[in-house]
Amino acid sequence: MAHKHFTPPVVLSIAGSDSSAGAGIQADLKTISANGGYACTVITAVTAQNTQGVYDVCPLSPASVAAQIDAIFADFNVAAVKIGMLANVDIAKVVVDKLTIYAAKNVVVDPVMLSTSGRELLCEEAIAYCKAHLYPLATLLTPNIPEFMALTGNIELNDFTQTSHNENVYELARQQLGCQWLLIKGGHGVDPALSTDQLVGQHYIQCFSAPRIQSRNTHGTGCTLSSAIATSLAKGMSMAEAVEHSKRYLTLAIINASHLELGQGHGALQHFPIATSPEQYAN
C-alpha cells in the first residue's frame, strides 16, 4: 500500500534569536511546529537574554540576512512569513527588498519595539522606515496597545473593549499604517477579567476576547500569537479564523505553562499542549 505524501505549509520566521528560548526565533519554531507548519528561519540578531531581561543584542550583517532569505525562497514554497525583531534600519531595508522581490504572501508583522523587560529593540529611524515601507507590505500588523499608540502618534483609546467608541480611530490607524489588516492586542488593557483584541480590515472590525490569566509565564506571547496566525493563514484559514484559532492557542499555552518554574522573571509559555501536567514529564 502506497504511503500518501504530506507536505506541511512552510512558514518563514524572520526574527531575532532568544537565548532563553522563550521568544523570538525559538518561540516561532515551537509555535509553527505545534500548529502544523514547517518552520524555516532567518535570524536577524543574536541576543543574550533570560527571563529577567535582555543584556546584549548583536545584529547580523544585512548581507547575511539577505543570503538567508534568498536560500529559503530558492528552495521552499513559502506559504507565509512572520516578521519579528529587525534590529536596525539596514536589516529592515533588506527585508523589504526581499519581500518585494519574492512577492511574499501572508506577511504577518509583529512590530517588536520593546522587550518584555522594557529594553528598546528598534531605533526611531528604523521604526520610521518600517512605517513607510514595511507595514504597507503587511497582510497583518499586530501591535500591542503601547506599540499602537506609539506608531499612531499616541492616539488615546477611550475604552479599548468598546468597538463602537473607536471604530473610526481603528480604521484611520489602519490606513495610516498601510497594512491590509490590523490586530490591536489587548494584553495591556485595563479589564481585569478579559483580554480583548481588535481585528480591523477594510469596512471590517471584530473583537476577540479571552480570559485574562494571571501568570508570570508570559514571555514571548506576541511572538507566539503572530507565528500562530501566520501558520493558520498558511493553512488556508481566513483572517478572522486565523486570529480566533491563534488566540485560543495562546490562551492554552499560557494555561499549560502554569506549572513551569523556569527562570526567575517572565517565564516561557508551554507551546505544546500535550504537556499539561508535571507528571507527564516523568514518562
Side-chain angles (χ1 to χ4, degrees), residues 157-171:
L157 301 180
N158 297 323
D159 183 350
F160 189 72
T161 64
Q162 296 298 316
T163 302
S164 60
H165 291 180
N166 298 303
E167 187 166 353
N168 292 335
V169 171
Y170 293 153
E171 176 56 19

Side-chain angles (χ1 to χ4, degrees), residues 74-133:
D75 195 35
F76 292 88
N77 179 20
V78 178
V81 179
K82 175 266 169 81
I83 298 174
M85 177 186 176
L86 294 179
N88 59 46
V89 69
D90 292 329
I91 291 175
K93 288 178 179 178
V94 164
V95 170
V96 166
D97 288 345
K98 294 301 182 181
L99 292 179
T100 303
I101 290 170
Y102 292 112
K105 54 184 179 292
N106 293 321
V107 177
V108 178
V109 178
D110 183 12
V112 179
M113 297 162 63
L114 291 173
S115 69
T116 303
S117 59
R119 176 164 178 159
E120 182 183 277
L121 298 176
L122 201 61
C123 69
E124 288 297 327
E125 181 187 10
I127 293 171
Y129 180 84
C130 288
K131 287 177 66 175
H133 302 282

Side-chain angles (χ1 to χ4, degrees), residues 6-200:
F6 170 70
T7 303
V10 174
V11 181
L12 171 60
S13 170
I14 303 175
S17 170
D18 172 7
S19 53
S20 73
I25 285 287
Q26 288 85 342
D28 295 345
L29 276 167
K30 290 183 278 189
T31 299
I32 294 165
S33 300
N35 283 275
Y38 180 83
C40 291
T41 62
V42 168
I43 297 176
T44 59
V46 175
T47 70
Q49 64 177 292
N50 56 29
T51 63
Q52 299 181 74
V54 179
Y55 302 100
D56 188 45
V57 177
C58 182
L60 272 67
S61 70
S64 175
V65 174
Q68 292 178 74
I69 297 174
D70 286 338
I72 298 304
F73 276 95
D75 195 35
F76 292 88
N77 179 20
V78 178
V81 179
K82 175 266 169 81
I83 298 174
M85 177 186 176
L86 294 179
N88 59 46
V89 69
D90 292 329
I91 291 175
K93 288 178 179 178
V94 164
V95 170
V96 166
D97 288 345
K98 294 301 182 181
L99 292 179
T100 303
I101 290 170
Y102 292 112
K105 54 184 179 292
N106 293 321
V107 177
V108 178
V109 178
D110 183 12
V112 179
M113 297 162 63
L114 291 173
S115 69
T116 303
S117 59
R119 176 164 178 159
E120 182 183 277
L121 298 176
L122 201 61
C123 69
E124 288 297 327
E125 181 187 10
I127 293 171
Y129 180 84
C130 288
K131 287 177 66 175
H133 302 282
L134 176 61
Y135 301 164
L137 297 178
T139 309
L140 176 69
L141 184 67
T142 65
N144 58 33
I145 294 175
E147 289 166 342
F148 173 79
M149 293 174 68
L151 290 172
T152 55
N154 290 316
I155 289 176
E156 292 292 339
L157 301 180
N158 297 323
D159 183 350
F160 189 72
T161 64
Q162 296 298 316
T163 302
S164 60
H165 291 180
N166 298 303
E167 187 166 353
N168 292 335
V169 171
Y170 293 153
E171 176 56 19
L172 288 173
R174 185 191 69 81
Q175 293 177 18
Q176 176 185 337
L177 295 169
C179 50
Q180 183 178 347
W181 292 88
L182 175 66
L183 182 68
I184 310 168
K185 297 177 295 189
H188 291 78
V190 297
D191 189 329
L194 293 175
S195 173
T196 300
D197 300 350
Q198 304 284 357
L199 177 63
V200 186

